[in-house]
Amino acid sequence: MSLKTSLIPPKAAKKPKKLVKHKDIRIDNYYWLNDRGNPEVIDYLNAENDYTKQEMLHTEAFQKELFEEMKARIKEDDTSVPYKLNGYWYITRYEKGQDYPIYTRKKETLEAPEEILFDCNEMAKGFAFFNLGSMAISPDNTMVSFSIDTVGRRQYTIQIKNLVTGEIFPDKILNTTSSSTWANDNKTLFYCMKDEVTLRSHKIFKHKLHTDFKDDVEVFYEADETFNTFVYKTKSKKYVVIGSSSTLSSEYRILDANTPDAEFKIFQKRKRDIEYSIAHYNDSFYIISNCDGATNFKLLKTGEAKTEKRYWKDVIPHRNAVLLEDIEIFKDYLVVNERENGLNNLRIISWDGTEDYYLPFESETYTTYIGSNPDFNSDVLRYAYNSLTSPSSVIDYNFKTKSKEIKKEQEVLGGKFNKENYESRRIWATARDGVKVPMSLVFKKGTKLDGTSPLLQYAYGSYGSTIDPSFSTVRLSLLDRGFIYAIAHIRGGEYLGRDWYENGKLLTKLNTFYDFIDCSKYLIEEKYTSANHLYAYGGSAGGLLMGAVINMNPELYHGVIAAVPFVDVVTTMLDDTIPLTTGEYDEWGNPNKKEFYNYMKSYSPYDNVEAKKYPNMLVTTGLHDSQVQYWEPAKWVAKLRELKTDTNKLLLHTDMDSGHGGASGRFESLKEVALEYAFLLDLEGICG
């Protein structure tokens, strides 16, 4: 391909398809791109990749420099903090030059010989994509069930390995969710299957060791297409639990793990708009639920024999200002993860009622969460802490001595990083309806705050998923070159509690987009940046956010990165054969109902592309993406190419080997980031 022809952007053929719903007619000229098996589709995606490569050719050396720079900050021969479970210490380690982890364990003491469970570097050979999904060790420590995905579509294959002999049994269970759990008899394994078309997790099976998987027994079928199912064992090891959940409601079934062939019992039948989760301790279950109007959730308790809602008693009542996110149960203590005014708190409560206090945290833009605590009898809480300026720490807090020990702080190699050289702050923008929207900012000290500095504004804003202000070694490559980084905690997440989510979904979804835009305007007004230097980034549902805001206010942004973006909202939500669609009705609405159809059509990025100027754009996707199908961004780019009136960059990069999460290797994924950063820095004229 000559340079001259390569710089002419690819032009997708227009093949009009008439889409009719509620007597509304939409003409989709690029619908044909949704056929992954069509050579013409693959040719188009490859042409877009070639075009992107040529357009970014002048940055190739810089991309390599960025890649090496980011890689150099990562400790290559890294090791996780060991945790103890059932007599063994479990450790994950990486070796220099290797992309994948090695999973190991040591019996009783850390001085014991290392036993390699899985070397993923060996297992990944011959695959462009590889992911070891999860492992489940049998109670007697002799067997491990494990799952592998070699496509990136999150359809895992489960196998069993004998840890005594090292033999991996040849039988394979295809198309699972990855997770599995053992009953206490060491020979019964429960696992979850996916629907082959929609990829909805819908069936729980029971397998007996040394029997043919074809003879496995189906123990549960989730018939409701808006629900997904899963299976796990309580931390107390007494119960196997089958869960079913949708966006707005949940239901659990329990079974004594000592009697795997008995029947599962419903804990509490599902009710619309009632969510709950369960944890077991002694002779009781502890329940986190939004029942009785507890918008921000509360903690309740009930006996093992009487699990229905009418028997639940409050332990921690509902509080309007505090979101109850999670709990961790130990033999002597209960740990509660709460969120107030956007910030996480860890609350320690002794079961005997003598202690109730919070661990102290000082920064205003930090992130903390409960870590891996599989040992029920431990006197130590493992938790993690980091901030926009402080690398991640794994900390052990001793309940008895009230002392804490930093077990590991993330090392930032290269000799250039000093956290004292960076500043973070939290600011509040006023949205158009008067609501205050928080933003977390980080920048290198000395960065000009006079409107001339480049700023990358990031947000997600859906599913109640909160983007906490956390540390990133990769991000330093932007900060050190003068970028300000801002996380907009917009409605649709749960940063300010459950209402913050409720007011950014369904028929209030526009608040999500308006919040982001109003945050952008505030950053410009307050001279953090200007429209000539403001960039926006979002992925998946955050890619929908990108598509919506550039349709509404394209003039605010000099450049936009939309990663695996969900941009063809109406068509996707009308197709119940696409993975995840039916389970999404509670988030976006069901377009089979006219009210929701009209509302989502009003903001759907693909349906609202117009003949006008758009910012410089880089759009990324994965051919095997199961969350957001590749054709959504492909169609969107094709339509933008057809209609936009500017000469700004519009680039589409499709990873032909991976799915929603991108490349699988820890270093391979940095090449994607290097492309994105080179795109931004090139627009700023900063290449080096």
Side-chain angles (χ1 to χ4, degrees):
M1 187 181 284
S2 73
L3 188 62
K4 185 177 180 183
T5 56
S6 70
L7 294 179
I8 298 172
K11 195 171 182 181
K14 291 171 71 170
K15 303 178 183 181
K17 182 175 178 67
K18 187 176 180 181
L19 301 171
V20 183
K21 191 71 179 180
H22 306 298
K23 298 181 180 177
D24 179 54
I25 299 173
R26 293 180 301 137
I27 304 297
D28 188 345
N29 290 321
Y30 305 106
Y31 188 90
W32 64 275
L33 285 170
N34 75 350
D35 182 4
R36 193 185 281 103
N38 181 350
E40 191 180 352
V41 171
I42 300 301
D43 287 347
Y44 170 68
L45 295 176
N46 283 327
E48 285 283 4
N49 279 349
D50 290 343
Y51 176 68
T52 295
K53 186 175 177 61
Q54 290 297 329
E55 276 287 319
M56 296 297 291
L57 193 62
H58 66 288
T59 70
E60 274 197 356
F62 183 45
Q63 285 181 53
K64 192 170 189 308
E65 177 188 330
L66 285 169
F67 170 76
E68 295 296 343
E69 179 182 295
M70 291 184 285
K71 183 182 176 184
R73 295 193 195 103
I74 297 171
K75 188 171 173 22
E76 290 199 46
D77 51 345
D78 204 4
T79 302
S80 68
V81 180
Y83 68 85
K84 198 171 189 183
L85 176 63
N86 198 20
Y88 281 84
W89 289 95
Y90 287 88
I91 304 159
T92 304
R93 62 179 175 83
Y94 287 89
E95 293 185 345
K96 201 172 179 71
Q98 299 290 338
D99 248 330
Y100 295 96
I102 300 169
Y103 294 97
T104 72
R105 70 177 184 177
K106 297 181 177 184
K107 191 171 185 178
E108 292 300 343
T109 73
L110 290 171
E111 286 70 46
E114 178 185 75
E115 180 184 337
I116 293 180
L117 304 176
F118 299 102
D119 182 345
C120 293
N121 299 290
E122 290 298 319
M123 298 167 77
K125 285 180 178 176
F127 297 107
F129 179 94
F130 179 86
N131 182 38
L132 182 71
S134 63
M135 295 182 291
I137 308 284
S138 63
D140 64 2
N141 293 312
T142 65
M143 298 284 171
V144 58
S145 62
F146 64 100
S147 58
I148 289 172
D149 175 14
T150 56
V151 177
R153 202 160 166 76
R154 301 184 185 179
Q155 290 172 283
Y156 290 86
T157 298
I158 288 178
Q159 286 182 269
I160 296 172
K161 179 179 182 179
N162 184 320
L163 293 175
V164 178
T165 65
E167 178 191 4
I168 295 177
F169 301 146
D171 289 351
K172 297 180 179 182
I173 316 173
L174 307 179
N175 196 36
T176 77
T177 61
S178 89
S179 62
S180 56
T181 192
W182 294 90
N184 291 343
D185 63 356
N186 298 297
K187 60 184 181 183
T188 306
L189 185 73
F190 294 92
Y191 61 90
C192 184
M193 296 289 290
K194 288 188 168 187
D195 182 290
E196 295 213 7
V197 177
T198 67
L199 302 191
R200 180 175 72 92
S201 53
H202 68 320
K203 290 180 179 179
I204 305 296
F205 279 85
K206 178 172 63 177
H207 172 72
K208 295 290 186 181
L209 204 57
H210 306 306
T211 66
D212 195 317
F213 283 130
K214 296 185 182 67
D215 298 327
D216 289 359
V217 177
E218 181 184 314
V219 295
F220 176 67
Y221 170 59
E222 178 50 72
D224 190 326
E225 292 185 343
T226 67
F227 278 73
N228 287 283
T229 188
F230 49 94
V231 64
Y232 67 96
K233 193 191 285 186
T234 58
K235 184 176 175 179
S236 67
K237 309 303 179 192
K238 186 171 180 181
Y239 290 95
V240 175
V241 182
I242 293 176
S244 288
S245 67
S246 70
T247 307
L248 292 177
S249 52
S250 44
E251 179 180 79
Y252 290 86
R253 288 166 167 75
I254 57 174
L255 173 71
D256 188 321
N258 291 314
T259 57
D261 294 326
E263 294 292 315
F264 280 85
K265 172 200 164 195
I266 291 183
F267 190 91
Q268 162 59 43
K269 285 185 179 178
R270 66 191 70 181
K271 291 184 179 177
R272 175 78 180 171
D273 297 334
I274 299 297
E275 297 173 63
Y276 72 95
S277 59
I278 60 176
H280 178 253
Y281 172 64
N282 280 353
D283 59 355
S284 301
F285 281 98
Y286 286 78
I287 306 122
I288 299 174
S289 179
N290 64 347
C291 63
D292 309 321
T295 309
N296 275 333
F297 293 82
K298 61 180 179 176
L299 185 65
L300 307 102
K301 175 184 178 181
T302 192
E304 288 176 306
K306 298 178 177 179
T307 61
E308 293 80 11
K309 163 71 177 65
R310 64 180 178 274
Y311 299 113
W312 299 359
K313 304 292 184 189
D314 282 11
V315 176
I316 299 177
H318 177 253
R319 292 154 294 169
N320 289 326
V322 181
L323 177 67
L324 199 163
E325 290 195 328
D326 194 13
I327 63 170
E328 187 74 65
I329 287 177
F330 297 87
K331 73 176 190 305
D332 295 329
Y333 289 88
L334 169 68
V335 180
V336 185
N337 190 351
E338 303 177 346
R339 185 183 296 274
E340 184 172 9
N341 196 31
L343 301 178
N344 279 115
N345 294 304
L346 297 180
R347 182 180 179 184
I348 315 293
I349 304 170
S350 62
W351 289 117
D352 64 12
T354 60
E355 296 177 90
D356 187 345
Y357 59 94
Y358 289 88
L359 292 183
F361 299 106
E362 295 166 6
S363 172
E364 198 187 18
T365 52
Y366 69 87
T367 298
T368 188
Y369 54 90
I370 298 170
S372 178
N373 293 275
D375 186 0
F376 184 71
N377 295 311
S378 177
D379 289 329
V380 173
L381 165 71
R382 177 161 293 172
Y383 69 96
Y385 173 88
N386 70 87
S387 72
L388 287 168
T389 58
S390 299
S392 300
S393 294
V394 176
I395 302 167
D396 279 359
Y397 174 79
N398 191 296
F399 298 121
K400 305 298 186 187
T401 64
K402 306 289 187 292
S403 61
K404 68 178 185 180
E405 178 187 359
I406 298 176
K407 302 297 289 186
K408 180 180 181 180
E409 183 173 72
Q410 177 185 4
E411 292 183 59
V412 183
L413 302 185
K416 298 178 181 177
F417 174 74
N418 180 347
K419 60 186 172 187
E420 301 304 321
N421 293 338
Y422 301 87
E423 182 180 336
S424 67
R425 59 178 68 170
R426 187 165 65 161
I427 61 176
W428 299 75
T430 303
R432 61 196 68 188
D433 60 358
V435 170
K436 298 282 189 184
V437 181
M439 283 183 278
S440 298
L441 270 63
V442 63
F443 49 88
K444 192 167 187 179
K445 288 177 181 175
T447 299
K448 292 179 180 178
L449 304 179
D450 60 0
T452 63
S453 292
L455 187 149
L456 180 59
Q457 181 183 339
Y458 171 77
Y460 185 71
S462 291
Y463 303 106
S465 178
T466 299
I467 305 299
D468 282 310
S470 55
F471 184 77
S472 165
T473 62
V474 171
R475 190 188 302 137
L476 295 172
S477 292
L478 286 182
L479 302 185
D480 289 349
R481 290 175 172 83
F483 261 78
I484 301 167
Y485 183 81
I487 302 170
H489 304 290
I490 55 181
R491 280 173 281 188
E494 276 185 352
Y495 186 80
L496 292 180
R498 183 69 174 196
D499 281 338
W500 203 243
Y501 169 43
E502 298 292 345
N503 290 315
K505 63 188 280 200
L506 297 172
L507 297 175
T508 60
K509 189 65 205 171
L510 285 170
N511 285 336
T512 300
F513 315 133
Y514 293 156
D515 283 359
F516 190 90
I517 290 166
D518 294 342
C519 283
S520 298
K521 291 178 177 178
Y522 181 82
L523 290 166
I524 293 169
E525 288 164 8
E526 294 298 309
K527 295 282 197 290
Y528 284 98
T529 189
S530 66
N532 290 330
H533 299 286
L534 178 57
Y535 301 88
Y537 186 117
S540 196
L544 159 64
L545 172 67
M546 295 299 99
V549 301
I550 62 168
N551 280 334
M552 295 173 183
N553 287 89
E555 76 286 352
L556 291 176
Y557 309 98
H558 188 224
V560 170
I561 297 175
V564 292
F566 173 43
V567 284
D568 191 13
V569 184
V570 179
T571 305
T572 291
M573 293 305 298
L574 281 169
D575 186 351
D576 59 15
T577 68
I578 292 177
L580 305 182
T581 292
T582 53
E584 304 279 287
Y585 289 158
D586 290 333
E587 179 72 24
W588 313 103
N590 183 347
N592 292 299
K593 298 175 181 176
K594 193 169 190 298
E595 179 184 28
F596 289 110
Y597 174 90
N598 289 338
Y599 190 80
M600 65 177 64
K601 188 186 173 189
S602 76
Y603 66 74
S604 173
Y606 184 66
D607 291 292
N608 288 283
V609 173
E610 297 174 327
K612 62 184 178 188
K613 292 182 179 178
Y614 283 91
N616 295 284
M617 292 176 62
L618 170 63
V619 182
T620 64
T621 187
L623 182 64
H624 301 291
D625 197 325
S626 61
Q627 313 298 107
V628 177
Q629 307 296 319
Y630 75 88
W631 59 76
E632 292 198 38
K635 288 166 55 175
W636 184 44
V637 167
K639 191 171 182 180
L640 282 163
R641 284 211 193 287
E642 176 194 348
L643 293 177
K644 75 188 191 86
T645 60
D646 58 83
T647 56
N648 289 331
K649 291 181 187 293
L650 175 58
L651 308 178
L652 173 65
H653 176 70
T654 304
D655 186 328
M656 305 301 279
D657 295 320
S658 72
H660 199 62
S664 57
R666 61 174 174 157
F667 300 127
E668 202 60 32
S669 60
L670 292 178
K671 292 177 182 175
E672 299 172 6
V673 182
L675 172 66
E676 294 171 349
Y677 282 13
F679 174 77
L680 297 172
L681 291 162
D682 183 44
L683 290 172
E684 278 295 308
I686 307 170
C687 277

